[in-house]
């Protein structure tokens, strides 16, 4: 599949379009760190996620859930010198996951650090369907993949934090 051309950290707007993505806007920030606590600067992060209705803009998504013409569901960014990153997006909806059952809201991360690559999913705290999501429950340390809620921004945008730990970075 060809990756979207609009790859900036704002998933709520597609370059060249006037509209804004539908759904609850949120800011997600965090850091990529090694297990020794060292920041991983210039790590490449690809983010994929469903829209607020639970639909991916991907040919293999055959759920029939509605597409959002103003949400691409993808970005490609790099961490700063402190290993930090920040994206503006919408809270993804859950969706039917076939044999895996219902998927709770989550965001996919593909992170390439200095010497290794990590593919992970980040989940939201307090979601009732976290207790039944088979992939979340199969994680070796489920709390490590659940973001933590931060105080909202002054404009009311929800904020979440999630630090990613890679073995070597």
């Amino acid at each position: 599949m060809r990756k979207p051309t609009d790859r900036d950290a704002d998933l709520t707007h597609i370059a060249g379009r006037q509209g804004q993505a539908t759904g609850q806007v949120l800011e997600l920030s965090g850091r990529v760190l090694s297990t020794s606590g060292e920041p991983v600067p210039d790590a490449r992060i690809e983010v994929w996620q469903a829209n607020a209705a639970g639909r991916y803009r991907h040919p293999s998504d055959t759920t029939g859930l509605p597409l959002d013409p103003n949400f691409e569901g993808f970005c490609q960014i790099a961490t700063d010198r402190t290993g930090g990153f920040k994206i503006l997006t919408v809270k993804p909806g859950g969706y039917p996951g076939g044999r895996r059952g219902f998927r709770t809201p989550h965001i996919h991360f593909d992170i390439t650090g200095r010497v290794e690559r990590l593919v992970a999913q980040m989940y939201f705290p307090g979601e009732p369907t976290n207790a039944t999501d088979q992939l979340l429950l199969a994680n070796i340390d489920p709390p490590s993949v659940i973001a933590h809620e931060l105080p909202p921004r002054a404009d009311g945008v929800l904020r979440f934090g999630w630090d990613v730990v890679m073995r070597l970075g």
Side-chain angles (χ1 to χ4, degrees):
M1 183 183 137
R2 202 168 37 116
K3 293 179 182 172
T5 56
D6 183 11
R7 298 179 178 196
D8 65 18
D10 184 353
L11 283 76
T12 67
H13 290 96
I14 295 177
R17 294 197 189 157
Q18 295 297 317
Q20 181 174 353
T22 302
Q24 174 64 58
V25 175
L26 63 89
E27 178 184 285
L28 174 63
S29 61
R31 293 176 64 200
V32 177
L33 306 166
S34 70
T35 53
S36 64
E38 295 294 317
V40 182
D42 300 316
R44 184 186 53 113
I45 301 175
E46 285 190 6
V47 173
W48 291 93
Q49 73 168 82
N51 65 23
R55 174 86 183 262
Y56 288 92
R57 184 173 293 280
H58 190 280
S60 67
D61 186 330
T62 58
T63 60
L65 296 168
L67 278 173
D68 181 346
N70 296 310
F71 186 73
E72 203 145 45
F74 173 81
C75 75
Q76 189 173 40
I77 57 175
T79 58
D80 63 21
R81 64 181 175 74
T82 69
F85 67 90
K86 185 186 300 185
I87 65 171
L88 190 67
T89 188
V90 296
K91 187 172 181 187
Y95 57 87
R99 62 182 168 81
R100 294 185 185 128
F102 189 82
R103 294 302 321 276
T104 197
H106 62 279
I107 298 176
H108 298 264
F109 284 78
D110 185 341
I111 304 165
T112 304
R114 295 180 299 247
V115 295
E116 66 186 319
R117 178 178 176 218
L118 174 69
V119 178
Q121 294 179 31
M122 185 221 75
Y123 299 85
F124 293 89
E127 289 293 322
T129 51
N130 283 354
T132 58
D133 187 290
Q134 295 303 304
L135 289 178
L136 173 57
L137 297 175
N139 191 288
I140 193 165
D141 183 16
S144 72
V145 294
I146 297 176
H148 57 278
E149 194 163 358
L150 300 170
R153 295 187 339 190
D155 61 2
V157 169
L158 297 180
R159 293 177 55 233
F160 292 89
W162 185 55
D163 291 342
V164 179
V165 178
M166 301 177 84
R167 193 168 57 82
L168 300 172

